[in-house]
Each structure stands twice: as C-alpha cells, then as structure tokens.
Amino acid sequence: MTTELEIGLYIFMMAGFLGYHIITRVPPLLHTPLMSATNAIAGISLVGSLVVAGANYGPLSTILGFIAVTCSTTNVVGGFLITDRMLSMFKRSEEQTAQPRRVPFGRVLVTLIVLGAGVIAFLYWFQQRGEGPEWMVHPRLHAETLKYSYILSSALFILGLKGLSSPKYARKGMQAAAFGMLMAVVGTLFHPEIVTYKWIILGFIIGSIVGGTMGLRIPMTAVPQRTALSHSLGALAACLVGISEYFRHHGVLSAVVMIPLGFEVVVGGLTFTGSLMAAAKLQELLPGHPITYKGQNLLNFSLLAVIVGSLIYLVIAPATPVVFQVMVALSFVFGLLLVIPIGAADMPVVIALLNSYGGLADASMGFVLMNKIQIITGSLDGTSGFLLSLLMCRAMNRSVVNVLFGAFGKVEKEKSDQGAEAKGSVRSIFPEEVTALLEDVRSVIIVPGYGMAVAQAQHGVAELAKLLMQRGINVKYAIHPVAGRMPGHMNVLLAEANVPYDQLYGMEQINPYFPEADIALVVGANDVTNPAAKNDRNSPLYGMPILEVDRAKSIIVLKRSLRPGFAGVDNDLYYDPKCMMLFGDAKDSLNKLFAALKS
Ligand code: NAP
C-alpha cells in the first residue's frame, strides 16, 4: 500500500517539475517580482505555525508557534504587497495615458486581512462562550474544509506563478495566489487540534503591521535586502516549528519523521542566519566585502560534517536532546560562516539560493506535519530560487561553487589594482557638449546599470528619454539580465519611473541595434558593457555575454570616476576613441543635461 511518505515524495517531485516549467517561462523583466512572489507564497509555513500556536502542545510549542505565526504573516502580507507594488508599475506605452487601474491591490489585501481577522474573531468568540470550535465545525466540517481549501489554494498558487509569464496577467495571477493563501489560512483555522486563537490573533496582528509597513513603505532600491530579510523570517518559522515538534514528542520520533525534521531545522536555521547576514551586508550595516581567513573552507566543511553527523546520530537515537540542541546551534553558526566570505555584490545569487533553501525547509515541514500544500509550495519555492541562481550565474559566466566559495569580489579587486592604469587616454565631456551632440542624432540607446540604482537616477533617465522622444529621436533601453544587483533590477526601477516595458529591450534583442545607434548613453553601467568580456581571454569577465555598446557610433558614459564595477575589472570601453566620460553622480549629470536641453 502507498504510504503517506511516498505520496508526499511524489507530490514534491511533480510540483518541482511543474515549477520548473512554469518558472522558466517567466521573462527576465519579471524576475524581481518572481523573487518576492515566491517569498510571499513561501509564507505558507503559516499554516503549520497556526496549528502549533493554537494547539495544546505545551507552553514551549505555543511560544515557538506564536513567533512562527508572526514571522510567516510578515512574509505573506509584506511579500504580496510589494509584489503587487512592483507589478502595478509595469505598463505598456498605451497604458501610460490610460486611467489608473480602479481597485488597488493594497485595498483588496487589507480587505482580505480584515476578513481573515473576522473569521478568527468569530471562532474566538464561540470559544469564549464555552461552546468551543468543536460545537461549530469539529468533527463535522474540519476535515472537508481543510482538504478542499488546500486543493484550491495549491491550484491558485500555480496559476499565480503561471501569470508571471506575462506582465499583462502577472497582477491578476498574484491576486489569485493571495486569495489562495487566504483559503489555506482560513481552512487551517478549522484544524481539529486548534484549541485557542489568542496567540494566533496576536501573531497575525503584529505580522500584518510589520509586513504591511515593509510592503508599502520599502523603496524599490531596497528590494534585495527586504527579500533577504523575508527569507530569514520564513526560515526561522520553519526551524521553530521543527524544534517544537521535536520537544513535543520528547524526541521519540520514527526515522521517517526525524529525517525531514532534522532537515527542516538545519536548513531553516542556516537560512535564517545566512539571510540575516546577507540583508545586513546589503543594507551596509556590516562591511560588504568578502571576509576571508586561512582555512575558512576547511572550517565550514568540518562544521557541515558535524551537523550531518549529528543528524545521522539523531536518526539512529532520536531521544538525545543534547545532540539535537548542538545540531540546531551549529546550523545557526554555519549560516553566518557560509555568507561571511561572500561579497555583498554576490549576495543576489546567495539570496536566490537561500530562497531555494527556505523552500526546502518549508517542504520538510510539510513532510513532518504531512501537510501536502506545504510540500507543494516548498517545492515550487525551492525550484524557483535554484533556477534564478543558475540563471544569474550563467549570465555572469560563473559557477555557483565559485560564488559560494570563491570570495570573488576580493580576489578580483586585488588583481585589478595591480594593472588598472596605462591603458591609454580617456576623453571627458561636459553636459553642454553632450547637449550639442544630442542636437543632431536620430537614435539613442540608453544603457542603465547599478550606478543608476545607487544614484536613484531612474526618474531622470525617464525624463530625459521623454524629452528626446518629443524631439523625434528614437529611444530604446538596453537591459542586461544581470545589470544592477538583482535579476530584473533595472526593469523594476524603470517601471517605477513610468517607462513602458515595451521600450525595454533584452540583450539579444538590442545588440543588433547598436551599430545603428548614434549615441549609446551608459548610465551607471560598467561590467555589462566591458568589451574585454569578448576580446580579452585573460579577463575574469571573458565569456560573459555583454551589451555591445562599443559598436555604437559614439558612446557617452555617466559615472563618477574610472573606478571598476562589481567585478573589479577595468573597463576597456572607456579608452575607446568613440567614448566620452561625463563624470559625476548620474542623477546630477542627468539633471544638468535635462536643464541644458530644455534651455
Ligand atoms: P557595475 O559593473 O557594478 O558598475 C556600476 C558602476 O556604477 C560603477 O562602476 C560605479 O562607478 C557606478 N556608480 C556608482 N554609483 C554611481 C552614481 N551615484 N552615479 C553614477 N555612477 C555610479 O554595474 P553593472 O554594469 O550594472 O553590472 C552589474 C554587475 O553586478 C555585473 O558584474 C553582474 O555580474 C553583477 N551582479 C549582478 C546581479 C544581478 O542579478 N543583477 C547579481 C550578482 C552580481 P563610479 O564609482 O565610478 O561612479
């Protein structure tokens, strides 16, 4: 007879394959929303947390469950809100002039939250009257409610991710996914083991306030750190539920439960601290450069070996709480040590990878609680994170192993410092001269990069482009898949500045247009334009596909200095006789250009 475990494994695999096919269809344009969407969906750890917080499993479980409910609610509310904020910015040219969409998703989500809170309050009221949830739903309704709400939710999550294959349907898809989440949560509230709603309500309120503030307030430039923070919360929830399950059963667990539980706790623990470290580096609370020391990889591998050894020991002798506690503590330490040697600029790959670990922790929680919706969403989340990290690595011409263990930023910077000079002369130019050049052109390609994000110059870029278009100049935007620090980073920023997405061209689309372009205007991009990637076999960038800016008739680069970008490699483009450097902060330079052109 097929066991629950086998069914779970089948579901896990099928969801992974399905996720792979759906997520490969998501265009680079929507990669940043995809990250936050999977983040929100991964908040499904809420359903497991609700049961732990509301059941009568003992004070330790209640406290851990309450924290887990708070963390997961923050993820769900914040994740869906910020995804919607991003998606609402993606518009086609004709939509720019159209009326703004009628019902803002924020309002819909708030309504859904109020509805959910209403259901909880209703249940709580009955409970206080002493009639108990048994009177209402147990045992008549709960099994059916749970079963059907989970089936419906799974379908809505998959539809939601499918919607991300086009900006046209993305928003509706995410609204469906948010509704799916509500279904799953409401269904879980009828769980037979829930005896009190006190802690659930409190966690729900705190999580909604924190998540809502994060989702509505965080600027688009801080999306990478928010995503990392959100992963850490989701992973912590999974880890805490695992700890609660272990102690609730006093460690008396079969191997079939102990394996996923150990996995849930270890992966959840390391993802929690690793993601916190990543967020702190990106927010510049900690030094962003890789911190390396002798024997680092040896120490990390030894620690991992001890963690794996402890897990194997626990499978054989599960009722050894000391070993369990050591394993949990070491997992937290391992997460920190894993991310310390990685440069802040490599963090997006790490974040995507941690996203996938978070998904695996969620799926493991699903196996422990035998909750199929968690297995499905965990698998979808895991696949999405893993695919995105692979895509990023491919676009950077690097391997995941190199990102994790290579301390890339440091090594390359050292190399570049030795031989950066002596490449020839560089031409600098003033805003007035650029204005004069722009008088006679017919086509301009704008190439945004990380510097545009740093300078928050996206609005200036959009204004300038509009002005050029009003003068009959053909303007296109060239978007490299790894320009900036997140997949799809430039798309989100330009969408925020109301640039229609049909003016954005991917690398393969735009490269044939460069030879026809009178001017390539590079705004804070560096590595993604470096011709050494094509021409210099000794360059660390060699083999990375780039935007062929060097083929334009003339090139104007807006940046502050000749300093290298993320890869720490000098850019040969700046020594090209066709290239002119407009030195200064990109936002200031654009303001000056705009003013000069207007006058
Ligand atoms: P980049 O190579 O990192 O260069 C950014 C440039 O922006 C710098 O050279 C800097 O020069 C300039 N800049 C910084 N602040 C500025 C300001 N306020 N005004 C004007 N310029 C400013 O950026 P990129 O060309 O976008 O390439 C992205 C890099 O990140 C690639 O190497 C990619 O592999 C890596 N990466 C991307 C992702 C992703 O998913 N997008 C993930 C991981 C890694 P100055 O200091 O001289 O101003």
Side-chain angles (χ1 to χ4, degrees):
M1 213 175 74
T2 319
T3 63
E4 280 272 292
L5 177 72
E6 281 171 64
I7 295 173
L9 285 170
Y10 280 128
I11 292 176
F12 181 75
M13 279 189 329
M14 297 313 286
F17 281 122
L18 188 65
Y20 177 84
H21 282 288
I22 293 175
I23 288 155
T24 41
R25 283 174 174 73
V26 177
L29 177 77
L30 296 179
H31 276 173
T32 302
L34 170 68
M35 271 185 131
S36 56
T38 49
N39 215 227
I41 292 173
I44 194 70
S45 51
L46 185 55
V47 300
S49 316
L50 285 175
V51 181
V52 176
N56 192 12
Y57 293 162
L60 176 70
S61 290
T62 307
I63 294 171
L64 296 180
F66 160 67
I67 302 173
V69 168
T70 311
C71 293
S72 307
T73 310
T74 308
N75 258 5
V76 171
V77 176
F80 278 118
L81 278 176
I82 201 154
T83 309
D84 185 69
R85 251 177 81 199
M86 278 185 230
L87 292 175
S88 64
M89 293 169 189
F90 287 93
K91 293 187 181 121
R92 297 178 68 84
S93 305
E94 56 269 23
E95 287 169 328
Q96 293 289 342
T97 44
Q99 288 287 313
R101 292 165 207 202
R102 289 275 156 215
V103 193
F105 179 62
R107 223 176 291 161
V108 175
L109 195 70
V110 170
T111 315
L112 293 180
I113 293 171
V114 170
L115 263 175
V119 173
I120 298 175
F122 181 64
L123 292 170
Y124 188 63
W125 179 66
F126 268 101
Q127 205 184 22
Q128 292 304 305
R129 282 182 51 186
E131 288 166 9
E134 310 84 50
W135 174 85
M136 281 171 46
V137 286
H138 308 160
R140 276 173 290 162
L141 249 181
H142 66 79
E144 297 303 303
T145 314
L146 267 182
K147 198 163 64 189
Y148 291 110
S149 68
Y150 284 0
I151 292 173
L152 185 65
S153 304
S154 311
L156 289 172
F157 289 156
I158 289 166
L159 273 180
L161 290 178
K162 173 94 178 57
L164 285 175
S165 49
S166 150
K168 200 170 161 195
Y169 303 111
R171 217 168 160 217
K172 286 205 179 83
M174 276 303 111
Q175 288 166 2
F179 185 67
M181 184 61 79
L182 184 78
M183 288 280 93
V185 171
V186 171
T188 311
L189 292 174
F190 293 104
H191 195 286
E193 287 178 32
I194 294 182
V195 293
T196 172
Y197 293 95
K198 211 169 30 193
W199 298 105
I200 293 177
I201 294 173
L202 194 61
F204 197 62
I205 292 172
I206 300 174
S208 301
I209 294 172
V210 179
T213 315
M214 274 166 75
L216 293 172
R217 285 285 159 91
I218 275 184
M220 287 299 145
T221 38
V223 167
Q225 3 336 15
R226 194 216 70 90
T227 311
L229 202 63
S230 186
H231 288 156
S232 75
L233 295 179
L236 179 65
C239 182
L240 294 182
V241 170
I243 295 174
S244 152
E245 284 300 290
Y246 180 82
F247 286 107
R248 174 162 88 90
H249 293 99
H250 308 289
V252 183
L253 298 161
S254 67
V256 170
V257 178
M258 193 60 229
I259 294 172
L261 192 146
F263 204 69
E264 173 189 355
V265 170
V266 169
V267 180
L270 73 90
T271 308
F272 167 58
T273 48
S275 303
L276 269 189
M277 176 68 104
K281 281 193 172 204
L282 286 167
Q283 190 60 35
E284 294 174 6
L285 299 174
L286 288 175
H289 59 82
I291 299 169
T292 52
Y293 49 86
K294 217 166 166 219
Q296 192 166 34
N297 284 342
L298 184 69
L299 174 73
N300 288 357
F301 280 118
S302 311
L303 201 60
L304 185 62
V306 177
I307 294 171
V308 174
S310 314
L311 179 53
I312 294 172
Y313 186 87
L314 281 165
V315 173
I316 300 163
T320 39
V322 177
V323 180
F324 183 78
Q325 284 158 8
V326 169
M327 183 182 77
V328 175
L330 291 184
S331 309
F332 285 137
V333 177
F334 184 67
L336 294 177
L337 294 185
L338 191 72
V339 178
I340 281 178
I342 302 170
D346 259 342
M347 226 36 86
V349 182
V350 178
I351 291 174
L353 218 54
L354 290 170
N355 184 1
S356 122
Y357 293 172
L360 293 182
D362 254 353
S364 311
M365 196 208 269
F367 278 103
V368 173
L369 305 175
M370 270 309 152
N371 185 330
K372 301 195 181 57
I373 192 163
Q374 282 187 276
I375 299 178
I376 294 174
T377 45
S379 180
L380 288 173
D381 195 25
T383 314
S384 157
F386 191 63
L387 257 176
L388 276 182
S389 43
L390 284 187
L391 284 176
M392 273 188 260
C393 284
R394 204 176 299 156
M396 293 193 291
N397 198 29
R398 302 188 40 214
S399 68
V400 178
V401 175
N402 181 255
V403 170
L404 287 180
F405 304 109
F408 183 72
K410 189 170 181 191
V411 176
E412 300 311 337
K413 214 160 238 120
E414 281 160 6
K415 265 191 205 164
S416 84
D417 287 347
Q418 294 159 14
E421 304 302 321
K423 287 232 174 172
S425 59
V426 169
R427 263 170 86 189
S428 69
I429 191 169
F430 293 101
E432 298 72 27
E433 295 172 82
V434 178
T435 322
L437 283 175
L438 286 170
E439 290 295 337
D440 300 321
V441 298
R442 303 176 69 146
S443 77
V444 171
I445 298 182
I446 298 177
V447 183
Y450 180 59
M452 182 184 84
V454 178
Q456 303 234 11
Q458 61 273 25
H459 295 280
V461 168
E463 288 301 316
L464 182 77
K466 234 185 257 169
L467 192 62
L468 294 178
M469 281 189 258
Q470 279 164 10
R471 297 177 166 210
I473 298 170
N474 182 315
V475 178
K476 292 186 173 73
Y477 293 85
I479 310 293
H480 191 281
V482 289
R485 292 291 182 269
M486 287 273 283
H489 199 174
M490 297 297 111
N491 302 297
V492 173
L493 294 181
L494 290 170
E496 187 193 12
N498 282 327
V499 175
Y501 63 80
D502 46 9
Q503 283 173 17
L504 311 181
Y505 289 71
M507 184 172 58
E508 282 86 14
Q509 286 173 303
I510 197 74
N511 273 343
Y513 286 104
F514 275 110
E516 296 163 21
D518 294 314
I519 290 182
L521 187 68
V522 181
V523 185
N526 188 344
D527 294 343
V528 298
T529 63
N530 194 339
K534 286 187 297 182
N535 310 327
D536 181 0
R537 283 185 174 275
N538 298 319
S539 169
L541 287 177
Y542 187 72
M544 169 175 160
I546 55 154
L547 292 168
E548 294 174 348
V549 171
D550 56 324
R551 295 172 71 202
K553 291 178 194 150
S554 42
I555 306 146
I556 298 169
V557 178
L558 275 61
K559 73 197 287 284
R560 297 167 305 181
S561 66
L562 285 180
R563 274 196 300 271
F566 158 74
V569 180
D570 208 22
N571 195 340
D572 292 353
L573 185 74
Y574 307 151
Y575 306 93
D576 187 318
K578 287 186 295 185
C579 182
M580 291 154 274
M581 308 293 296
L582 176 53
F583 287 116
D585 175 79
K587 193 173 177 179
D588 287 348
S589 300
L590 285 163
N591 284 345
K592 285 180 191 152
L593 271 181
F594 189 79
L597 269 176
K598 269 270 186 193
S599 65

